[in-house]
Every structure is written in structure tokens, then in C-alpha cells.
Coordinates of all heavy atoms in Angstrom, one line a residue:
M1 N 0.8 -1.2 0.0 CA 0.0 0.0 0.0 C 0.9 1.2 0.0 O 1.2 1.8 1.0 CB -0.9 0.0 1.2 CG -2.3 0.4 1.0 SD -3.2 0.7 2.5 CE -4.1 -0.8 2.6
Q2 N 1.3 1.7 -1.1 CA 2.2 2.9 -1.2 C 1.6 3.9 -2.2 O 1.0 3.4 -3.2 CB 3.6 2.4 -1.7 CG 4.3 1.4 -0.8 CD 4.7 2.1 0.5 OE1 5.0 3.3 0.5 NE2 4.7 1.3 1.6
P3 N 1.9 5.1 -2.1 CA 2.5 5.8 -1.0 C 1.6 5.8 0.2 O 0.4 5.6 0.1 CB 2.7 7.2 -1.5 CG 1.6 7.4 -2.5 CD 1.3 6.1 -3.1
L4 N 2.3 6.1 1.3 CA 1.6 6.0 2.6 C 1.9 7.2 3.5 O 3.1 7.6 3.5 CB 2.1 4.7 3.3 CG 1.6 4.4 4.7 CD1 0.1 3.9 4.5 CD2 2.4 3.3 5.3
T5 N 0.9 7.8 4.1 CA 1.2 8.9 5.1 C 1.6 8.2 6.4 O 0.8 7.4 7.0 CB -0.1 9.7 5.3 OG1 -0.5 10.3 4.0 CG2 0.2 10.9 6.2
L6 N 2.7 8.6 6.9 CA 3.2 8.0 8.2 C 2.6 8.6 9.4 O 1.8 9.6 9.3 CB 4.7 8.1 8.2 CG 5.5 7.4 7.1 CD1 7.0 7.7 7.3 CD2 5.3 5.9 7.1
G7 N 2.9 8.0 10.6 CA 2.4 8.6 11.8 C 1.4 7.6 12.5 O 0.2 7.7 12.2
H8 N 1.9 6.8 13.4 CA 1.0 5.8 14.0 C 0.7 6.1 15.4 O -0.1 5.3 16.0 CB 1.6 4.4 13.8 CG 2.7 4.0 14.8 ND1 4.0 4.5 14.5 CD2 2.8 3.4 15.9 CE1 4.8 4.1 15.5 NE2 4.1 3.4 16.4
E9 N 1.3 7.1 16.0 CA 0.9 7.5 17.4 C 0.3 8.9 17.3 O 1.0 9.9 17.3 CB 2.2 7.5 18.3 CG 2.7 6.1 18.4 CD 4.0 6.0 19.2 OE1 4.7 7.0 19.3 OE2 4.3 4.9 19.8
V10 N -1.0 8.9 17.2 CA -1.7 10.1 16.7 C -2.5 10.7 17.9 O -3.3 10.0 18.5 CB -2.7 9.7 15.6 CG1 -3.4 10.9 15.1 CG2 -1.9 9.0 14.5
V11 N -2.3 12.0 18.1 CA -3.2 12.8 18.9 C -3.7 13.9 18.1 O -3.0 14.5 17.2 CB -2.4 13.4 20.1 CG1 -3.2 14.4 20.9 CG2 -1.9 12.3 21.0
G12 N -5.0 14.3 18.2 CA -5.6 15.3 17.4 C -6.8 15.9 18.0 O -7.2 15.5 19.1
V13 N -7.5 16.8 17.3 CA -8.7 17.4 17.8 C -9.8 17.1 16.8 O -9.6 17.2 15.6 CB -8.5 18.9 18.0 CG1 -9.8 19.6 18.3 CG2 -7.4 19.2 19.0
V14 N -10.9 16.6 17.3 CA -12.0 16.3 16.4 C -12.6 17.5 15.7 O -12.9 18.5 16.4 CB -13.1 15.6 17.2 CG1 -14.4 15.3 16.3 CG2 -12.6 14.3 17.8
E15 N -12.6 17.5 14.4 CA -13.1 18.6 13.6 C -14.6 18.4 13.3 O -15.4 19.3 13.4 CB -12.3 18.7 12.3 CG -12.7 19.8 11.4 CD -12.1 21.2 11.9 OE1 -11.2 21.2 12.7 OE2 -12.7 22.2 11.5
E16 N -15.0 17.2 12.9 CA -16.4 16.9 12.5 C -16.7 15.5 12.9 O -15.8 14.7 13.1 CB -16.6 17.0 11.0 CG -16.4 18.4 10.4 CD -16.6 18.5 8.9 OE1 -17.1 17.5 8.4 OE2 -16.3 19.5 8.3
M17 N -18.0 15.2 13.0 CA -18.4 13.8 13.3 C -19.3 13.4 12.2 O -20.0 14.2 11.5 CB -19.3 13.8 14.6 CG -18.5 14.4 15.8 SD -19.6 14.9 17.2 CE -21.0 14.0 17.1
G18 N -19.4 12.0 12.0 CA -20.3 11.5 11.1 C -21.7 11.4 11.6 O -21.9 11.6 12.8
A19 N -22.6 11.2 10.7 CA -24.0 11.1 11.1 C -24.2 10.0 12.1 O -23.7 8.9 12.0 CB -24.9 10.8 9.8
G20 N -25.0 10.3 13.2 CA -25.3 9.3 14.2 C -24.2 9.2 15.3 O -24.4 8.4 16.2
V21 N -23.1 9.8 15.1 CA -22.0 9.7 16.1 C -22.3 10.7 17.2 O -22.5 11.9 17.0 CB -20.6 10.0 15.5 CG1 -19.5 10.0 16.6 CG2 -20.3 8.9 14.4
E22 N -22.3 10.2 18.5 CA -22.5 11.1 19.6 C -21.3 11.5 20.4 O -21.2 12.5 21.1 CB -23.5 10.4 20.6 CG -24.9 10.2 20.0 CD -25.8 9.6 20.9 OE1 -25.5 9.4 22.1 OE2 -26.9 9.2 20.5
S23 N -20.2 10.7 20.2 CA -19.0 10.9 20.9 C -17.8 10.3 20.2 O -18.0 9.2 19.6 CB -19.0 10.4 22.4 OG -17.8 10.6 23.0
P24 N -16.7 10.9 20.1 CA -16.4 12.2 20.6 C -17.0 13.4 19.8 O -17.6 13.1 18.8 CB -14.8 12.3 20.5 CG -14.5 11.4 19.3 CD -15.6 10.3 19.4
K25 N -16.9 14.6 20.4 CA -17.5 15.7 19.8 C -16.5 16.7 19.2 O -15.3 16.6 19.6 CB -18.4 16.5 20.8 CG -19.5 15.7 21.4 CD -20.4 16.5 22.3 CE -21.5 15.7 22.9 NZ -22.2 14.8 22.0
P26 N -16.9 17.5 18.2 CA -16.0 18.5 17.7 C -15.3 19.3 18.9 O -16.0 19.7 19.8 CB -16.8 19.4 16.9 CG -17.9 18.5 16.4 CD -18.2 17.6 17.6
G27 N -14.0 19.5 18.8 CA -13.2 20.2 19.8 C -12.6 19.2 20.8 O -11.7 19.6 21.5
D28 N -13.1 18.0 20.9 CA -12.5 17.0 21.8 C -11.1 16.7 21.3 O -10.9 16.4 20.1 CB -13.3 15.8 21.9 CG -14.6 15.9 22.7 OD1 -14.7 16.9 23.5 OD2 -15.4 15.0 22.7
R29 N -10.2 16.6 22.3 CA -8.8 16.1 22.0 C -8.8 14.6 22.1 O -9.3 14.1 23.1 CB -7.8 16.7 22.9 CG -6.3 16.6 22.5 CD -5.5 17.5 23.4 NE -5.6 17.1 24.8 CZ -4.7 16.4 25.4 NH1 -3.6 16.1 24.9 NH2 -4.9 16.1 26.7
V30 N -8.3 13.9 21.2 CA -8.4 12.4 21.2 C -7.0 11.8 20.8 O -6.2 12.4 20.1 CB -9.4 11.9 20.2 CG1 -10.8 12.4 20.6 CG2 -9.1 12.3 18.8
I31 N -6.8 10.5 21.2 CA -5.8 9.7 20.6 C -6.5 8.7 19.7 O -7.7 8.4 19.8 CB -5.0 8.9 21.6 CG1 -5.9 8.0 22.5 CG2 -4.2 9.8 22.5 CD1 -5.1 7.0 23.3
L32 N -5.8 8.2 18.7 CA -6.4 7.2 17.8 C -5.9 5.8 18.3 O -4.7 5.6 18.3 CB -6.0 7.4 16.4 CG -6.5 8.7 15.7 CD1 -6.2 8.7 14.3 CD2 -8.0 8.9 16.0
Y33 N -6.8 4.9 18.6 CA -6.5 3.5 18.8 C -6.0 3.0 17.5 O -6.7 3.1 16.4 CB -7.7 2.8 19.4 CG -7.4 1.3 19.5 CD1 -6.4 0.9 20.4 CD2 -8.2 0.3 18.9 CE1 -6.1 -0.5 20.5 CE2 -7.9 -1.0 19.1 CZ -6.9 -1.4 19.9 OH -6.6 -2.7 20.0
Y34 N -4.9 2.3 17.5 CA -4.1 2.0 16.3 C -4.8 1.0 15.4 O -4.7 1.1 14.2 CB -2.7 1.4 16.8 CG -1.8 0.9 15.8 CD1 -1.2 1.7 14.9 CD2 -1.5 -0.5 15.8 CE1 -0.3 1.2 14.0 CE2 -0.6 -1.0 14.9 CZ 0.0 -0.1 14.0 OH 0.9 -0.6 13.1
Y35 N -5.4 0.0 15.9 CA -6.0 -1.1 15.1 C -7.5 -0.8 14.8 O -8.3 -0.4 15.6 CB -6.0 -2.4 15.8 CG -4.6 -2.9 16.1 CD1 -4.0 -2.9 17.3 CD2 -3.9 -3.5 15.0 CE1 -2.8 -3.4 17.6 CE2 -2.6 -4.0 15.2 CZ -2.0 -3.9 16.5 OH -0.8 -4.4 16.7
V36 N -7.8 -0.9 13.5 CA -9.3 -0.9 13.1 C -9.7 -2.2 12.7 O -9.4 -2.7 11.5 CB -9.5 0.2 12.0 CG1 -11.0 0.2 11.6 CG2 -9.0 1.5 12.4
G37 N -10.3 -3.0 13.6 CA -10.7 -4.4 13.3 C -12.0 -4.4 12.5 O -12.6 -3.3 12.3
C38 N -12.4 -5.6 12.1 CA -13.7 -5.7 11.4 C -14.9 -5.4 12.3 O -15.9 -5.1 11.8 CB -13.8 -7.2 10.8 SG -14.1 -8.4 12.1
G39 N -14.7 -5.5 13.6 CA -15.8 -5.2 14.5 C -16.8 -6.3 14.7 O -17.7 -6.2 15.5
R40 N -16.6 -7.5 14.0 CA -17.6 -8.5 14.1 C -17.0 -9.9 14.5 O -17.8 -10.8 14.9 CB -18.3 -8.7 12.7 CG -19.1 -7.5 12.3 CD -19.8 -7.7 11.0 NE -18.9 -8.0 9.9 CZ -18.3 -7.0 9.2 NH1 -18.6 -5.8 9.4 NH2 -17.5 -7.3 8.2
C41 N -15.7 -10.1 14.3 CA -15.2 -11.4 14.6 C -15.0 -11.6 16.2 O -15.2 -10.7 16.9 CB -13.8 -11.6 13.9 SG -12.5 -10.7 14.7
A42 N -14.7 -12.8 16.5 CA -14.6 -13.2 18.0 C -13.5 -12.3 18.7 O -13.7 -11.9 19.8 CB -14.3 -14.7 18.1
H43 N -12.5 -12.0 17.9 CA -11.4 -11.2 18.5 C -11.9 -9.8 18.8 O -11.7 -9.2 19.8 CB -10.2 -11.2 17.6 CG -9.6 -12.5 17.4 ND1 -9.1 -13.3 18.5 CD2 -9.4 -13.3 16.3 CE1 -8.6 -14.5 18.0 NE2 -8.8 -14.5 16.7
C44 N -12.5 -9.2 17.8 CA -13.0 -7.8 17.9 C -14.0 -7.7 19.0 O -14.1 -6.7 19.7 CB -13.5 -7.3 16.5 SG -12.2 -7.0 15.3
L45 N -14.9 -8.6 19.1 CA -16.0 -8.6 20.0 C -15.5 -8.6 21.5 O -16.3 -8.2 22.4 CB -17.0 -9.7 19.8 CG -17.8 -9.5 18.4 CD1 -18.7 -10.7 18.2 CD2 -18.6 -8.2 18.4
V46 N -14.3 -9.1 21.7 CA -13.8 -9.0 23.1 C -12.7 -8.0 23.3 O -12.0 -8.0 24.3 CB -13.3 -10.4 23.5 CG1 -14.5 -11.4 23.6 CG2 -12.2 -10.9 22.7
G47 N -12.5 -7.1 22.3 CA -11.5 -6.0 22.4 C -10.1 -6.4 22.0 O -9.2 -5.7 22.3
D48 N -10.0 -7.5 21.3 CA -8.6 -8.0 20.8 C -8.5 -7.7 19.3 O -8.1 -8.6 18.6 CB -8.4 -9.5 21.1 CG -8.3 -9.7 22.6 OD1 -7.9 -8.8 23.4 OD2 -8.5 -10.9 23.0
E49 N -8.8 -6.4 18.9 CA -8.7 -6.1 17.5 C -7.3 -6.4 16.9 O -7.2 -6.7 15.7 CB -9.0 -4.6 17.3 CG -10.5 -4.3 17.6 CD -10.7 -3.9 19.0 OE1 -9.8 -4.1 19.8 OE2 -11.8 -3.3 19.3
N50 N -6.3 -6.4 17.7 CA -5.0 -6.7 17.2 C -4.8 -8.1 16.6 O -3.9 -8.4 15.9 CB -3.9 -6.5 18.3 CG -4.1 -7.3 19.5 OD1 -5.2 -7.4 20.0 ND2 -3.1 -8.0 20.0
L51 N -5.8 -9.0 17.0 CA -5.8 -10.4 16.5 C -6.7 -10.6 15.4 O -6.8 -11.7 14.8 CB -6.1 -11.3 17.6 CG -5.1 -11.3 18.9 CD1 -5.6 -12.2 20.0 CD2 -3.7 -11.6 18.4
C52 N -7.4 -9.6 15.0 CA -8.5 -9.7 13.9 C -7.8 -10.1 12.6 O -6.8 -9.6 12.2 CB -9.1 -8.3 13.7 SG -10.4 -8.3 12.4
D53 N -8.4 -11.1 11.9 CA -7.9 -11.5 10.6 C -8.4 -10.7 9.5 O -7.9 -10.9 8.3 CB -8.4 -13.0 10.4 CG -7.8 -14.0 11.3 OD1 -6.6 -13.8 11.7 OD2 -8.5 -15.0 11.6
A54 N -9.2 -9.7 9.8 CA -9.7 -8.8 8.7 C -9.5 -7.3 9.1 O -10.4 -6.5 8.9 CB -11.2 -9.1 8.4
L55 N -8.3 -7.0 9.6 CA -8.0 -5.6 9.9 C -8.3 -4.7 8.8 O -7.9 -5.0 7.6 CB -6.6 -5.5 10.4 CG -6.2 -5.9 11.8 CD1 -4.7 -5.8 12.0 CD2 -7.0 -5.0 12.8
R56 N -8.9 -3.6 9.1 CA -9.2 -2.6 8.1 C -8.2 -1.5 8.0 O -8.1 -0.8 7.0 CB -10.6 -2.0 8.3 CG -11.7 -3.0 8.2 CD -13.1 -2.6 8.6 NE -13.4 -1.2 8.4 CZ -14.2 -0.5 9.1 NH1 -14.8 -1.0 10.1 NH2 -14.4 0.8 8.8
A57 N -7.4 -1.3 9.1 CA -6.4 -0.2 9.1 C -5.5 -0.5 10.3 O -5.9 -1.0 11.3 CB -7.0 1.2 9.2
E58 N -4.3 0.0 10.1 CA -3.3 0.2 11.2 C -2.6 1.5 10.9 O -1.8 1.6 10.0 CB -2.2 -1.0 11.2 CG -2.8 -2.3 11.6 CD -1.7 -3.4 11.4 OE1 -0.8 -3.5 12.3 OE2 -1.8 -4.2 10.4
Y59 N -3.0 2.5 11.6 CA -2.6 3.9 11.2 C -1.1 4.1 11.1 O -0.4 3.8 12.1 CB -3.2 4.9 12.2 CG -4.7 4.9 12.2 CD1 -5.5 4.6 13.3 CD2 -5.4 5.1 11.0 CE1 -6.8 4.5 13.3 CE2 -6.8 5.0 10.9 CZ -7.5 4.7 12.1 OH -8.9 4.7 12.1
G60 N -0.7 4.6 10.0 CA 0.7 4.9 9.8 C 1.6 3.8 9.6 O 2.8 3.9 9.5
F61 N 1.1 2.6 9.5 CA 1.9 1.4 9.3 C 1.5 0.7 8.0 O 2.4 0.5 7.2 CB 1.7 0.5 10.5 CG 2.8 -0.5 10.8 CD1 4.0 -0.1 11.1 CD2 2.5 -1.8 10.7 CE1 5.1 -1.0 11.3 CE2 3.5 -2.8 10.9 CZ 4.8 -2.3 11.2
V62 N 0.3 0.3 7.8 CA -0.1 -0.3 6.6 C -1.3 0.5 6.0 O -1.8 0.2 4.9 CB -0.5 -1.8 6.7 CG1 0.6 -2.6 7.1 CG2 -1.7 -1.9 7.7
S63 N -1.7 1.6 6.7 CA -2.7 2.5 6.1 C -2.3 3.9 6.6 O -1.5 4.1 7.4 CB -4.1 2.1 6.7 OG -4.1 2.0 8.1
D64 N -2.9 4.9 5.9 CA -2.5 6.3 6.2 C -2.6 6.6 7.7 O -3.5 6.2 8.4 CB -3.4 7.2 5.4 CG -3.0 7.2 3.9 OD1 -1.8 6.9 3.6 OD2 -3.9 7.5 3.1
G65 N -1.6 7.5 8.1 CA -1.5 7.8 9.5 C -1.6 9.3 9.8 O -2.2 10.0 9.0
G66 N -1.1 9.6 11.0 CA -1.4 10.9 11.6 C -0.6 12.1 11.1 O -0.8 13.2 11.7
F67 N 0.3 11.9 10.2 CA 1.1 13.1 9.7 C 0.2 13.9 8.7 O 0.7 14.9 8.2 CB 2.4 12.7 9.1 CG 3.5 12.3 10.1 CD1 4.5 11.5 9.8 CD2 3.4 12.7 11.5 CE1 5.5 11.2 10.7 CE2 4.3 12.4 12.4 CZ 5.4 11.6 12.0
A68 N -0.9 13.4 8.4 CA -1.8 14.1 7.5 C -2.5 15.3 8.3 O -2.6 15.2 9.5 CB -2.9 13.2 7.0
E69 N -3.0 16.3 7.6 CA -3.6 17.4 8.3 C -4.9 16.9 8.9 O -5.3 17.4 9.9 CB -3.8 18.5 7.3 CG -4.4 19.8 8.0 CD -4.4 21.0 7.0 OE1 -4.0 20.8 5.9 OE2 -4.9 22.0 7.5
Y70 N -5.6 16.0 8.1 CA -6.9 15.5 8.6 C -6.9 14.0 8.4 O -6.3 13.5 7.5 CB -8.1 16.1 7.8 CG -8.3 17.6 8.1 CD1 -7.8 18.5 7.2 CD2 -9.0 18.0 9.2 CE1 -7.9 19.9 7.4 CE2 -9.2 19.4 9.4 CZ -8.6 20.3 8.5 OH -8.8 21.6 8.7
A71 N -7.7 13.3 9.2 CA -7.9 11.8 9.0 C -9.3 11.5 9.3 O -10.0 12.1 10.2 CB -7.0 11.1 10.0
T72 N -9.9 10.6 8.6 CA -11.2 10.1 8.8 C -11.1 8.7 9.5 O -10.4 7.8 9.0 CB -12.0 9.9 7.5 OG1 -12.0 11.2 6.8 CG2 -13.4 9.4 7.7
V73 N -11.7 8.6 10.7 CA -11.5 7.4 11.5 C -12.8 6.9 12.1 O -13.7 7.8 12.3 CB -10.5 7.6 12.6 CG1 -9.1 8.0 12.1 CG2 -11.0 8.5 13.7
P74 N -13.0 5.7 12.4 CA -14.2 5.2 13.1 C -14.3 5.9 14.5 O -13.3 6.1 15.1 CB -14.0 3.7 13.3 CG -13.0 3.3 12.2 CD -12.1 4.5 12.1
A75 N -15.5 6.3 14.9 CA -15.6 7.0 16.2 C -15.0 6.1 17.3 O -14.4 6.7 18.3 CB -17.1 7.3 16.5
R76 N -15.2 4.8 17.3 CA -14.7 4.0 18.4 C -13.2 4.0 18.5 O -12.6 3.6 19.5 CB -15.2 2.5 18.2 CG -14.6 1.7 17.1 CD -15.1 0.3 17.1 NE -14.4 -0.5 16.1 CZ -14.9 -0.7 14.9 NH1 -16.0 -0.1 14.5 NH2 -14.2 -1.4 14.1
N77 N -12.5 4.4 17.4 CA -11.0 4.5 17.5 C -10.5 5.9 18.0 O -9.3 6.0 18.3 CB -10.4 4.3 16.1 CG -10.4 2.8 15.8 OD1 -11.4 2.2 15.5 ND2 -9.2 2.2 15.8
A78 N -11.4 6.8 18.1 CA -11.0 8.2 18.6 C -11.4 8.2 20.1 O -12.5 8.3 20.5 CB -11.8 9.3 17.8
V79 N -10.4 8.1 21.0 CA -10.5 8.0 22.4 C -10.2 9.4 23.0 O -9.1 9.9 22.9 CB -9.6 7.0 23.0 CG1 -9.8 6.8 24.5 CG2 -9.8 5.6 22.3
R80 N -11.3 9.9 23.7 CA -11.1 11.3 24.3 C -10.0 11.3 25.4 O -9.9 10.3 26.1 CB -12.4 11.7 25.0 CG -13.4 12.1 23.9 CD -14.7 12.7 24.5 NE -14.8 12.5 26.0 CZ -15.8 12.9 26.7 NH1 -16.8 13.5 26.1 NH2 -15.7 12.8 28.0
L81 N -9.3 12.4 25.5 CA -8.2 12.5 26.4 C -8.5 13.5 27.5 O -9.1 14.6 27.2 CB -6.9 13.0 25.7 CG -6.2 12.0 24.8 CD1 -5.1 12.7 24.0 CD2 -5.6 11.0 25.7
P82 N -8.2 13.2 28.7 CA -8.3 14.2 29.8 C -7.3 15.3 29.6 O -6.2 15.1 29.1 CB -8.1 13.4 31.1 CG -7.5 12.1 30.7 CD -7.7 11.9 29.3
A83 N -7.6 16.5 30.1 CA -6.7 17.7 29.9 C -5.4 17.5 30.5 O -4.4 18.1 30.0 CB -7.4 18.9 30.4
E84 N -5.3 16.7 31.6 CA -4.1 16.6 32.3 C -3.0 15.7 31.7 O -1.9 15.7 32.1 CB -4.3 16.2 33.8 CG -4.9 14.9 34.0 CD -6.4 14.9 34.0 OE1 -7.1 15.9 33.6 OE2 -7.0 14.0 34.6
I85 N -3.4 15.1 30.6 CA -2.4 14.2 29.9 C -1.9 15.0 28.6 O -2.7 15.4 27.8 CB -3.0 12.9 29.5 CG1 -3.5 12.1 30.7 CG2 -2.1 12.1 28.6 CD1 -4.1 10.8 30.4
S86 N -0.6 15.2 28.6 CA -0.1 15.9 27.4 C -0.1 15.1 26.1 O -0.3 13.9 26.2 CB 1.4 16.3 27.7 OG 2.2 15.1 27.7
D87 N 0.0 15.8 25.0 CA 0.0 15.1 23.7 C 1.1 14.1 23.7 O 1.0 13.0 23.2 CB 0.2 16.1 22.6 CG -1.1 17.0 22.4 OD1 -2.1 16.8 23.0 OD2 -1.0 17.9 21.5
D88 N 2.3 14.5 24.1 CA 3.5 13.7 24.1 C 3.3 12.4 24.9 O 3.7 11.3 24.5 CB 4.7 14.4 24.5 CG 5.2 15.4 23.5 OD1 4.7 15.4 22.4 OD2 6.0 16.3 23.9
A89 N 2.7 12.6 26.1 CA 2.5 11.4 27.0 C 1.4 10.5 26.4 O 1.4 9.3 26.6 CB 2.1 11.9 28.4
A90 N 0.4 11.1 25.8 CA -0.8 10.3 25.3 C -0.5 9.6 24.0 O -1.0 8.5 23.9 CB -2.0 11.3 25.1
A91 N 0.3 10.1 23.1 CA 0.4 9.6 21.8 C 0.7 8.1 21.8 O 0.1 7.3 21.0 CB 1.4 10.4 21.0
P92 N 1.7 7.6 22.5 CA 2.0 6.2 22.5 C 0.9 5.2 22.9 O 0.9 4.1 22.6 CB 3.3 6.0 23.3 CG 3.8 7.4 23.5 CD 2.6 8.3 23.4
I93 N 0.0 5.7 23.7 CA -1.0 4.9 24.3 C -1.9 4.2 23.2 O -2.2 3.0 23.3 CB -1.9 5.7 25.3 CG1 -1.1 6.2 26.4 CG2 -3.1 4.8 25.7 CD1 -1.9 7.2 27.3
G94 N -2.2 4.9 22.1 CA -3.0 4.4 21.1 C -2.4 3.2 20.4 O -3.1 2.4 19.8
A95 N -1.1 3.1 20.4 CA -0.4 2.0 19.7 C 0.1 0.9 20.7 O 0.6 -0.1 20.2 CB 0.7 2.5 18.8
A96 N 0.1 1.3 21.9 CA 0.7 0.4 22.9 C -0.2 -0.7 23.3 O -1.4 -0.6 23.3 CB 1.2 1.1 24.1
Ligands
LIG101 ZN1 -12.3 -8.6 13.6

């Protein structure tokens, strides 16, 4: 999958939400959970998306990542951050 936008430890601010999405909201600071699983297999249903046989994305690794100005991601992958956690401290959490 080339060319590829790098950046797999992503912190950003939500700009817009898709239809029907209630959280996060525009203006929320979020990290991106690294794996985008199929959401339906036994692994995904118990939160082990890293074991999914039908991964849809791994940001900045096999799919476009966070060095882009904007990214479109599933709402469940955008995890709100509390204000007391800095961007630098938070970024690795999404991939760890
Ligand atoms: Zn899956």
C-alpha cells in the first residue's frame, strides 16, 4: 500500500463527526487507537482487535497515519483525552 502517510501514534482534535455519532464531539482532543478491526469477529467482540484476521487499518503502518492534516476514522478509534495528559504522553497509548 504505497505511497503511505506515516504517523502511527496520533493525537488530534475532532473537527467533525459522522451522522449518528454522539462521541467524541468537535473540539475534543483524542488519541487514535491503532487497530481498526472488522468489529464482528470473535477477537474484535472481546476487544482484541490486534488479533483480527480482517483488519481494516493500522494507522501509519499499513494504512495512512497521523502526519496528515486530517484523518477520517471510526468513532470507536477516537478516544477522548483528559486535559491533564499531554499530547506527548498520550500519543504512544493508542499503539501500545
Ligand atoms: Zn475482527
